[in-house]
Amino acid sequence: MIKNYLKIAFRHITRNKTYVLANVLGLGLALSCCIIAFVNHNMALTADTFHDNHEHLYRVLVQTDGLGEPSCDIATPLAPLASEEISGVKAGIRFGSKGVIIQSGPEVFNQEIAIIDPNFLDIFNFPILAGEKSAINDPSQVLITETAAKKYFGEASALQQTIIVNPGQGGHKEFIVGGILKDPPKISSLQFDVLTNIAFVEWGPRPDTLINWTNHMSATFLQLENPTEKEAITQQLQNYITIYNEGNGNSAVKFLLQPMKEVYIEGEDVNNNWISRSLPPVFYWGLWAMALMILLNACLNFTNTTVSFSNKRLKEMGVRKVMGSGRTQLMLQLLGESLVICILATGVAIIATEYFVPIFNQMWGIANIELTIDYLGNPDLLLFLGGTILLVTLLAGAYPAFYISSFKPTHIFRGSTKFGGDNWFVRSLLGFQVAISIMTIIGGIAFAQNGEYLENFDLGYNTKEIINVKLNGKDAYTTFKNVVLQNPDIQGVTGSRNNLGFGEHWYPLGKREENRWTQVQNVGENFFEVMGLNILEGRTFDEKLATDYTNAVLVNRKFIKDQQWTTGLDKQIEIFGEQQNIIGVVGDFYQSAMVGNQSPNVFRLNKPEQYRTLKVKVNKDKLLATNAYLEEAWKATFPLRPFESFYQDKVTANGLIISQNIAWSYLFLAILSIILAATGLFSLVSLNVLKRAKEIAVRRILGATPENITYIVNKHYILIFGIGSVLGGLLGAWFAQILLEQAFAVNQGVSTMAIVLSMIGICTIGALTIGGKLYSVMQTNPAETLKNE
C-alpha cells in the first residue's frame, strides 16, 4: 500500500512541476531560516556544555543592595576558602585578566592575558595540541592558543620560545611558552589567547596579594561533588558575607550559584560581566519570530496553491472513492504527498543553509558569532528538523487533504462540484500572507531608518571628532601629550580613566545602607571642553587646585533630577565614603545608542598617572591623517609599546552595523514573503477567473468595461488586502517597535511613512499580480470562451 501511495505521489508531483517547484522553493527557504534561527539559539544555550563536567560547575555571583542584577566579580580569596572549608565543593577555579604588552622578537602587541588557577585545564575542556598542560603550574611559563602562536611566532614552532611581558618597563619579565592550546570556541563564555598562573596577580600590573579581599577576579567557579547539593552549598557560602563586606566595604547581601550552562546565555543579566556573553535575548527571539513568520507564510501559500489546484484531482478522488477507497485513505494519500514535498523542501533548505550561514557569520562577526552546521553530530538539530517537517506537513497539508477528500463522487461526476478552493477560509489565509508580508516590510524600513537616525543622533557629547589612544605606563600621557600638541591640526587633548560609551561604572552614593547608586567618570584636564559636554552651572575642574583632586565633583542634570534638587551648586554628596563638593553641572548624555538610558553621573578629576586613555580632538575631515600622525609619533616615542587607537564614534558604529544587518535580514524576508503572497494570490485569482470564465465572457459581450469586470471579479480580494494591510500595519508597527526598544536605548521608533510605504508596496504588487492575469483573460475572444464552455 505504501508503495502504491508513493507511486501516486510522485506521479502527481511530476505532472505539476510548477506548483511543486514553487512550494518546494518557498518551504525550503523558510525552513532554511528556521534552521539558522535554531542553530543560532541552540549554540548560545549550549555554549559551555562542551565541558565534560559542566553540570557540576557553577559561577559564583554576589547580590548587592541597591543593584537589581547580581555581580560576578568575586574577591580572590573566596574560591580557595570555599573549596577547603565547604563539604561538597570539589574545587574552586578563578579566571581573571590583565592588560599587558607582549614582546616576541622585535614585535610588540597589546594583549589581555588570562590569569587562572593551576587546576583550570583539569576542569575545563580546552584541548592542548603541543606541550604539557601541567606547564601552567610553573609561574614562569605560559600557555598560548594556536592563533596567538601564529601571531607571535609566525610559522615557526612556538613551544619553548620566550616572550617578554611589559618590555621596557620596570619589572618586565620573561615567560616560556610551555604549551599550545586549541582556540576556544567563539561561542563560549571563556575566551583567551594567553594563560598564565594566578601568581601573576602578585607580580603583574597593579600587583596585589591573593589573600586581599579587595582584589577581584573576572569570574569564580565552584565544582560541586553533587549538583543536588547546590542549595545547601549556597547557604554555606553566606558565611563569608561578613568578611566579604569588611574587605570590600560593600553591602553584599547574599551569594548565588549560577549553573555553567546559563553563564553565556544569561550574561546580560549580570553586572560587571567581563567574560564573553551572548547578545541580548531580543536577538534570538526576534530571529525566531521572523523565521516562524516566513515558515507560516510558506505553509499558507502551500495550502492555498494546493486547494487551488484541487480541481485537477476531483475526478481522481471520485474514481478512487467509487473503487472502494475510504476518506481516511485519501487523506493519508494527500498528506503523504505533502510530506514528500516537505522532504524535498528540506533538501533545498539544507543546500540554502550552506550558502546562508557564511553570510550570517559575516554579518554578525561583530558579535563574535560563528555558526557551524553539523547535522549528524547535532541530534537536537535532527530532532528539530524531523518535528518541523511533520508540523509543516500537517499545517500545510491537513486542510487540503480534508477539503479534497470530502467531496461526494456523485456530485463530482454530475459536475456540481467543479473547482475547489476559492472560499472565505482560503481567502483568509491569503489575508494572513498579506499581513505577514507587510510586517516584514515595515521591519526592514524601520531598521533602515533607525540606522540613519543613529548615524546622526547627538548623544550629548562629541563622538565625531575624537581619537582615543590607549596608554601604557604612568609616564605615557605627559610624555605623549607634548608630542601630540606639536601638530597644528589638533584642537585639544585630554585624558581619562573611563571612556564614555565603553562600559558603565556604578558606585554607591551616600551610605551603603541607603542603596543609592550613580555612575562615576574619572576624567582629566580639559575633559569637558574636548568631549563637548556643556557646563550648565558652576565651573569645570582646575588642575592647579589640589582640592579639585580630592573633594570636588561635577554632576549631570539627571543626577540633579534624581535628587529632586533645583540646583546642584553648594551641595555635598558622599562617594567612596568621602564628602565631595559639587562645583558644576553638565548636560545630560547617553553613554551609547545600544544600551542604557540617560543615567546619573558624577565626574571626578584624576591625575595624569591614572589615565588609561589619551583623547585627541581634531576636525572630522582630518581624523585619518591625524591618526596616522599619532601612530608614527607614538612609535618614535615608545618603540617598545604597541600603538592602539579607536575613534569615539565607535559607540554608535556597532549600533549602526547591527541596525543595518537587521534591516538587510528583514529585506530578505520581505522579498520572500512578497513572492509567497504573490504566488498564492496568483493561484487564487487564476482559479477565480477560471470558475467565472463564462460570466466574464457574457459581461464582455454585453459591453462591460475592463474596470467593471476587474471590480466584480476581484472585489473579495480588495477586501482581503484591505483587512490584511490594516492587520499587518498594526502588528508590524508593534513588533518592530518592540525589537527597536529591546535592541537600542536610542531609536527613532516606527514612522508612519514605514507603515504607509509597506501597505502601498504590497497592494501595488497585488494589483500587478491580479492585473497581469486579467489582462491575459481580456485578450481572449469571448466567443472562444463560450464555445469551450
Side-chain angles (χ1 to χ4, degrees), residues 406-650:
S406 65
F407 296 128
K408 295 181 179 180
T410 55
H411 291 175
I412 294 174
F413 294 127
R414 286 175 184 172
S416 57
T417 300
K418 285 190 174 182
F419 305 101
D422 189 17
N423 54 44
W424 279 107
F425 178 78
V426 176
R427 294 171 190 164
S428 299
L429 299 184
L430 177 62
F432 282 116
Q433 285 186 275
V434 171
I436 291 172
S437 300
I438 289 178
M439 289 176 67
T440 53
I441 297 172
I442 289 174
I445 296 175
F447 275 94
Q449 290 178 334
N450 192 64
E452 183 178 352
Y453 178 73
L454 291 179
E455 192 171 10
N456 301 304
F457 184 79
D458 182 9
L459 292 177
Y461 61 95
N462 191 350
T463 61
K464 303 291 187 181
E465 301 177 321
I466 302 296
I467 302 173
N468 296 282
V469 179
K470 291 188 176 180
L471 299 175
N472 291 300
K474 294 182 178 180
D475 62 330
Y477 175 77
T478 304
T479 303
F480 195 54
K481 173 188 172 184
N482 296 327
V483 176
V484 166
L485 290 176
Q486 295 176 16
N487 187 327
D489 291 332
I490 292 175
Q491 302 171 4
V493 176
T494 186
S496 69
R497 183 177 179 85
N498 306 123
N499 276 323
L500 289 182
F502 300 95
E504 299 182 354
H505 306 272
W506 291 88
Y507 293 91
L509 174 65
K511 303 296 182 184
R512 296 278 178 177
E513 58 270 18
E514 295 177 7
N515 296 329
R516 295 186 296 152
W517 296 78
T518 184
Q519 289 197 65
V520 175
Q521 309 292 338
N522 296 288
V523 303
E525 56 181 349
N526 304 322
F527 181 85
F528 301 101
E529 178 184 350
V530 171
M531 294 302 297
L533 285 164
N534 297 321
I535 305 296
L536 304 180
E537 293 183 275
R539 65 175 178 87
T540 185
F541 292 119
D542 185 348
E543 62 271 17
K544 296 178 182 178
L545 294 177
T547 54
D548 276 11
Y549 290 97
T550 57
N551 60 7
V553 296
L554 280 84
V555 298
N556 67 337
R557 186 166 51 185
K558 180 69 165 72
F559 184 96
I560 302 297
K561 291 179 182 177
D562 287 356
Q563 301 305 312
Q564 298 182 347
W565 296 339
T566 56
T567 180
L569 297 182
D570 302 323
K571 301 284 187 180
Q572 285 192 331
I573 59 174
E574 184 177 337
I575 297 285
F576 303 107
E578 299 176 352
Q579 293 295 321
Q580 304 286 331
N581 298 314
I582 298 177
I583 63 171
V585 179
V586 302
D588 287 334
F589 56 89
Y590 291 87
Q591 286 273 4
S592 72
M594 285 295 294
V595 292
N597 295 310
Q598 291 178 341
S599 304
N601 272 262
V602 173
F603 294 86
R604 302 177 70 208
L605 182 62
N606 273 191
K607 294 184 178 180
E609 57 266 26
Q610 297 173 306
Y611 301 162
R612 294 183 181 175
T613 305
L614 179 143
K615 297 177 176 293
V616 176
K617 180 181 180 182
V618 64
N619 189 289
K620 62 182 179 181
D621 296 330
K622 298 183 178 181
L623 282 173
L624 293 176
T626 304
N627 192 59
Y629 164 79
L630 294 173
E631 183 174 7
E632 183 179 350
W634 179 276
K635 290 179 178 178
T637 308
F638 305 111
L640 292 179
R641 302 183 192 178
F643 176 80
E644 188 172 351
S645 68
F646 60 94
Y647 301 112
Q648 186 67 32
D649 65 2
K650 186 178 178 181

Side-chain angles (χ1 to χ4, degrees), residues 3-243:
K3 183 178 179 181
N4 186 48
Y5 280 170
L6 290 175
K7 280 184 178 181
I8 296 174
F10 282 108
R11 187 181 302 151
H12 171 65
I13 289 172
T14 55
R15 288 179 177 176
N16 298 277
K17 296 182 180 65
T18 303
Y19 150 77
V20 172
L21 181 62
N23 284 297
V24 166
L25 288 177
L27 286 171
L29 292 175
L31 284 171
S32 178
C33 295
C34 289
I35 290 173
I36 290 175
F38 175 83
V39 172
N40 179 50
H41 194 200
N42 191 56
M43 289 186 74
L45 287 174
T46 61
D48 293 310
T49 59
F50 63 91
H51 302 297
D52 291 340
N53 56 354
H54 70 272
E55 293 181 349
H56 295 257
L57 292 173
Y58 294 83
R59 178 168 67 168
V60 182
L61 304 176
V62 60
Q63 183 69 59
T64 303
D65 271 344
L67 284 181
E69 309 294 347
S71 300
C72 65
D73 50 344
I74 302 298
T76 307
L78 182 66
L81 275 179
S83 62
E84 291 173 9
E85 299 178 358
I86 298 179
S87 174
V89 176
K90 188 175 182 180
I93 315 99
R94 293 164 290 185
F95 181 91
S97 65
K98 297 285 184 182
V100 300
I101 298 171
I102 288 181
Q103 180 180 12
S104 175
E107 299 290 330
V108 289
F109 308 89
N110 279 321
Q111 182 68 64
E112 285 287 328
I113 188 168
I115 304 166
I116 60 171
D117 279 303
N119 61 351
F120 179 82
L121 293 175
D122 295 326
I123 294 170
F124 294 101
N125 295 109
F126 295 108
I128 189 160
L129 304 176
E132 299 293 335
K133 66 179 182 180
S134 59
I136 201 65
N137 296 326
D138 184 351
S140 66
Q141 296 193 49
V142 294
L143 301 176
I144 63 177
T145 62
E146 288 180 282
T147 298
K150 290 179 180 178
K151 181 170 71 171
Y152 298 149
F153 304 103
E155 297 302 321
S157 173
L159 205 59
Q160 298 304 311
Q161 296 278 5
T162 300
I163 60 173
I164 302 173
V165 174
N166 292 338
Q169 300 182 42
H172 68 274
K173 187 174 181 180
E174 294 186 353
F175 287 85
I176 303 296
V177 177
I180 312 297
L181 294 166
K182 186 177 180 180
D183 289 340
K186 284 193 174 183
I187 301 181
S188 166
S189 59
L190 298 176
Q191 298 290 331
F192 53 84
D193 289 305
V194 181
L195 294 178
T196 187
N197 189 285
I198 198 168
F200 187 87
V201 170
E202 299 177 330
W203 168 83
R206 298 178 296 280
D208 209 334
T209 64
L210 293 173
I211 60 173
N212 187 349
W213 283 85
T214 63
N215 183 35
H216 290 190
M217 302 298 286
S218 300
T220 296
F221 299 93
L222 297 181
Q223 182 184 16
L224 308 189
E225 294 278 3
N226 190 341
T228 60
E229 298 178 354
K230 172 195 168 186
E231 297 302 326
I233 292 172
T234 300
Q235 189 61 39
Q236 293 182 66
L237 281 174
Q238 312 314 315
N239 296 330
Y240 300 106
I241 285 291
T242 301
I243 188 173

